[in-house]
Amino acid sequence: MDPAQFGYSTLPMQHAPYGPILPKSLEGSNSGKVAVITGAGQGIGAAISESLAKSGASIAILDLNASNLEQTMKTCSAFGGKVEAFGCDVTDQNRVEEVFAQVEKQLGPIDVLVNNAGILDQRPFMMGTFDGFWRQIEVNFKAPLMLMHAVLPRMRDRGHGCIINIASRSGTVDVPMTLGYVTSKAALIRATHTLQLEMELDGLDPAIHLYALHPGGVRTNMGGAGAAEDVKKKYGDITDEEFYKHLFKDGPPLCGQTCAWLATGQGKELRGLFLDCRQDVSKLLEYGRENLLKENRNKLTVNFIDGYCNEP
């Protein structure tokens, strides 16, 4: 894979919290809100939890094992808000419903949902089991849909809510050895676009606003672990390629603070779209929702040759 085929930005990219998304700028902006964050035990999920807690939200942090949440809970509790931790397999519908009921009992109605939990098995499709491939679809796509299906009626009844799906640039490009990951992330981006349109049908737009967010180039345990030994033996260790090292230069707080900013509602004009947290939100807002939609920006699309287009 040659990253150059996907293009390089000519506008400056952000690689750390800036201006409108700085903690100081968002201080108290999410006070009174209850946020649920999945995959909160480390990395990006922990940073999202910390940013929402800093901005005043009460938070429910979820991870497969509750023991993974100890440090996140300690860090977030230091900001003075309420923090509750739950062990939860996000693919288990019964457990999700149990956790949501407990969250509402202990913290109150859910205002913000951040679907962050995800897995990656870096191997060619034909070298893995189908179950291993499908598990990625279940965690990365089925689980977010299931959580949204559980929370949206609650948000509908209260007339407001914010959902942030942590997607990936990988969902917009073709990356060999990551079929389960890119497929699930592309599906999540498309679901975000479509669900926002359904909010319009029910008169819930923009009161309920959804986003698909690329967290930037963050070298997490998942993304930085590389391929298994059997894959390396056949194809080499692609983590040693020089270009790979330069793709990961963003810290988790950039995504965390972007999520906190979106949760405030200040980014409603960007609802339903795929956002890259390295792109300045002020620039996107300045471009305007009307132009973004008219030009089909920040959405999954297909570019046919001139003269051809999809029939209505």
Side-chain angles (χ1 to χ4, degrees), residues 222-286:
M222 180 179 70
E229 288 304 318
D230 61 332
V231 177
K232 291 178 184 177
K233 185 176 180 180
K234 183 173 182 178
Y235 295 98
D237 186 357
I238 64 170
T239 61
D240 288 338
E241 295 184 30
E242 194 62 28
F243 73 78
Y244 187 89
K245 299 174 185 177
H246 296 303
L247 294 178
F248 296 88
K249 53 187 175 183
D250 307 314
L254 176 62
C255 178
Q257 290 298 127
T258 303
C259 287
W261 181 80
L262 290 172
T264 68
Q266 296 178 61
K268 281 185 180 180
E269 289 297 287
L270 307 176
R271 65 192 181 278
L273 300 178
F274 170 68
L275 309 177
D276 184 333
C277 69
R278 299 169 298 181
Q279 298 175 2
D280 193 310
V281 294
S282 299
K283 185 72 175 177
L284 294 174
L285 290 175
E286 180 185 337

Side-chain angles (χ1 to χ4, degrees), residues 11-280:
L11 294 174
M13 301 284 272
Q14 303 291 343
H15 300 291
Y18 59 93
I21 71 166
L22 286 169
K24 185 176 181 180
S25 301
L26 297 179
E27 189 174 353
S29 58
N30 285 312
S31 294
K33 295 180 181 177
V34 173
V36 174
I37 306 99
T38 69
Q42 59 185 346
I44 294 169
I48 295 169
S49 304
E50 181 177 342
S51 294
L52 282 163
K54 278 182 183 177
S55 65
S58 297
I59 61 171
I61 50 177
L62 280 59
D63 208 277
L64 186 59
N65 296 310
S67 59
N68 295 339
L69 296 166
E70 291 179 6
Q71 183 56 53
T72 305
M73 188 168 188
K74 181 179 179 181
T75 301
C76 293
S77 296
F79 300 110
K82 295 180 180 179
V83 184
E84 298 290 344
F86 301 90
C88 181
D89 178 349
V90 289
T91 67
D92 183 338
Q93 186 170 7
N94 290 333
R95 179 56 181 157
V96 167
E97 289 287 357
E98 288 175 0
V99 168
F100 275 15
Q102 291 174 15
V103 170
E104 292 183 328
K105 182 178 180 180
Q106 295 170 233
L107 297 176
I110 299 168
D111 301 291
V112 180
L113 169 65
V114 184
N115 283 310
N116 168 72
I119 58 173
L120 164 66
D121 182 12
Q122 188 176 318
R123 62 174 53 247
F125 184 60
M126 290 191 295
M127 281 189 70
T129 65
F130 187 79
D131 284 346
F133 162 78
W134 197 250
R135 178 63 179 167
Q136 295 173 81
I137 305 298
E138 290 196 325
V139 175
N140 299 347
F141 181 53
K142 176 185 174 182
L145 280 186
M146 198 160 59
L147 270 73
M148 288 190 284
H149 192 263
V151 81
L152 276 171
R154 294 167 160 92
M155 292 180 171
R156 175 199 60 205
D157 292 345
R158 295 192 306 278
H160 66 87
C162 173
I163 296 175
I164 303 168
N165 293 317
I166 302 303
S168 174
R169 178 83 166 89
S170 298
T172 69
V173 297
D174 301 319
V175 185
M177 298 194 189
T178 64
L179 183 63
Y181 190 76
V182 300
T183 301
S184 58
K185 292 300 183 179
L188 189 58
I189 296 168
R190 175 61 67 200
T192 304
H193 298 334
T194 304
L195 283 170
Q196 191 66 58
L197 293 178
E198 291 193 4
M199 296 305 102
E200 289 185 25
L201 292 177
D202 286 331
L204 295 167
D205 174 86
I208 297 179
H209 41 115
L210 300 89
Y211 312 89
L213 181 65
H214 172 49
V218 182
R219 193 70 181 268
T220 61
N221 289 340
M222 180 179 70
E229 288 304 318
D230 61 332
V231 177
K232 291 178 184 177
K233 185 176 180 180
K234 183 173 182 178
Y235 295 98
D237 186 357
I238 64 170
T239 61
D240 288 338
E241 295 184 30
E242 194 62 28
F243 73 78
Y244 187 89
K245 299 174 185 177
H246 296 303
L247 294 178
F248 296 88
K249 53 187 175 183
D250 307 314
L254 176 62
C255 178
Q257 290 298 127
T258 303
C259 287
W261 181 80
L262 290 172
T264 68
Q266 296 178 61
K268 281 185 180 180
E269 289 297 287
L270 307 176
R271 65 192 181 278
L273 300 178
F274 170 68
L275 309 177
D276 184 333
C277 69
R278 299 169 298 181
Q279 298 175 2
D280 193 310

